[in-house]
């Protein structure tokens, strides 16, 4: 990544209230280079312009950090794809233990290589479908927080994510700001899965007029047995 773009990245992160270390900026630069290089042979992202990778992937992912809610926590990124938001969180805050979960092994193999290349020691890779992983004893209700971006509408996403979260933990869904209807539609299943009514925080992506949204669900009670259901049931309840 060019020095100018590193500067744009740093300015954007500071606008979010973050103070990135030189190491983190260097790691993000290298991650961008590796992403765009691999994207030529593997479908990782629709974005091919490094400036847009900075804004749409890095700064958007980093928007989860300013509240400090994730500091020192065990976090699972459900449907991480090319590592968003999870890998960005792991780079910017080494105190977060991040598990990158996806059902596509090839993407995870690449993420493992990137984590190794960047020398990250706080990243774990987990292959599988979230609705199956959420039934496994060693994964169910083991995370302080589940995060997810661009995976499914909130009623479906809640069932993929909330079973992985400990009671007392959080589920943070990264959405556009035009999601009032899906949030309302998700309320019954969130309640069924042990979550409290969601609350919403909208933010502007630094350097743009794009507004995004973090939907926060506090998990007050355990998820009852029988959830998550099979994929066909989750999709067509
Ligand atoms: N979160 C990334 C982002 O914001 O760029 C990737 C989004 S990509 C559109 C959706 C990802 O979710 C894909 O990598 C897909 O394999 C994964 N995914 C979809 N359903 C899943 C499931 N049930 N369990 C695990 N991963 C899933």
């Amino acid at each position: 990544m060019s020095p100018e773009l590193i500067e744009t990245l740093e300015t954007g992160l500071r606008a979010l209230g973050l103070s990135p270390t030189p190491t983190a900026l260097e790691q993000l630069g290298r991650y961008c280079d590796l992403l765009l290089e691999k994207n030529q042979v593997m479908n990782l992202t629709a974005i091919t312009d490094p400036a847009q990778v900075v804004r749409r992937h890095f700064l958007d992912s980093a928007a989860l950090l300013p509240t400090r809610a994730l500091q020192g926590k065990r976090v699972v990124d459900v449907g991480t794809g090319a590592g968003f938001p999870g890998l960005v969180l792991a780079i910017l805050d080494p105190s977060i233990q991040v598990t990158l979960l996806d059902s596509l092994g090839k993407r995870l193999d690449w993420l493992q290589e990137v984590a190794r290349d960047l020398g990250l020691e706080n990243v774990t890779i987990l292959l599988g479908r979230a609705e199956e992983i959420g039934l496994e004893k060693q994964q169910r209700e083991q995370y302080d927080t589940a995060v997810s971006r661009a995976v499914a509408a909130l009623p479906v996403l809640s069932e993929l994510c909330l079973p992985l979260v400990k009671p007392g933990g959080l589920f943070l869904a990264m959405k556009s700001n035009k999601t009032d209807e899906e949030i309302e539609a998700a309320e019954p299943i969130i309640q069924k899965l042990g979550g409290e009514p969601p609350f919403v925080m909208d933010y502007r992506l630094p350097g743009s007029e794009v507004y995004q949204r973090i939907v926060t669900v506090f998990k007050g009670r355990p998820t009852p047995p029988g959830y998550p259901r099979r994929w066909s049931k989750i999709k067509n309840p």
Side-chain angles (χ1 to χ4, degrees):
M1 193 192 279
S2 68
E4 293 75 29
L5 211 46
I6 295 273
E7 216 178 293
T8 308
L9 173 61
E10 182 172 10
T11 307
L13 291 169
R14 289 192 184 280
L16 287 170
L18 302 171
S19 308
T21 61
T23 305
L25 290 170
E26 198 181 301
Q27 287 170 322
L28 287 169
R30 172 100 180 122
Y31 178 19
C32 179
D33 293 343
L34 292 170
L35 174 71
L36 294 180
E37 189 187 306
K38 191 69 175 183
N39 205 35
Q40 314 220 0
V41 291
M42 188 189 283
N43 182 14
L44 289 171
T45 174
I47 294 174
T48 53
D49 170 17
Q52 288 303 318
V53 171
V54 165
R55 186 154 294 134
R56 295 296 194 135
H57 285 322
F58 291 175
L59 295 179
D60 191 37
S61 297
L64 286 176
L65 289 172
T67 65
R68 312 271 187 264
L70 303 181
Q71 248 174 14
K73 302 290 189 198
R74 194 167 178 220
V75 173
V76 59
D77 179 10
V78 175
T80 189
F84 306 115
L87 198 60
V88 176
L89 303 178
I91 291 171
L92 285 168
D93 186 345
S95 80
I96 305 175
Q97 290 299 321
V98 180
T99 296
L100 303 175
L101 163 60
D102 206 284
S103 54
L104 270 186
K106 276 189 182 169
R107 286 190 183 147
L108 291 181
D109 290 345
W110 176 75
L111 283 171
Q112 182 86 72
E113 273 174 40
V114 175
R116 206 171 293 134
D117 183 288
L118 301 182
L120 298 173
E121 288 177 358
N122 55 337
V123 173
T124 303
I125 302 292
L126 182 58
L127 172 64
R129 293 198 58 90
E131 67 276 19
E132 291 167 10
I133 300 267
L135 295 170
E136 291 176 10
K137 200 163 173 257
Q138 63 276 29
Q139 295 295 334
R140 186 179 177 84
E141 301 194 324
Q142 295 302 306
Y143 295 90
D144 299 303
T145 308
V147 298
S148 192
R149 190 185 82 150
V151 172
L154 198 63
V156 170
L157 192 63
S158 300
E159 194 159 344
L160 300 182
C161 292
L162 273 168
L164 295 164
V165 177
K166 295 174 184 167
L170 295 175
F171 159 42
L172 305 176
M174 308 196 77
K175 292 280 173 188
S176 92
N177 67 344
K178 297 185 181 67
T179 43
D180 291 350
E181 276 179 23
E182 69 175 90
I183 293 169
E184 205 184 319
E187 289 202 20
I189 185 71
I190 287 174
Q191 140 96 27
K192 183 91 199 163
L193 294 162
E196 301 295 325
F199 64 90
V200 158
M201 189 196 78
D202 288 351
Y203 60 93
R204 187 172 61 82
L205 269 187
S208 77
E209 285 309 312
V210 176
Y211 284 83
Q212 300 284 73
R213 166 171 289 182
I214 297 170
V215 181
T216 301
V217 175
F218 174 73
K219 182 164 173 178
R221 292 159 288 117
T223 298
Y227 292 89
R229 296 164 293 174
R230 281 188 323 233
W231 180 245
S232 56
K233 270 271 179 233
I234 296 176
K235 288 286 279 183
N236 303 300

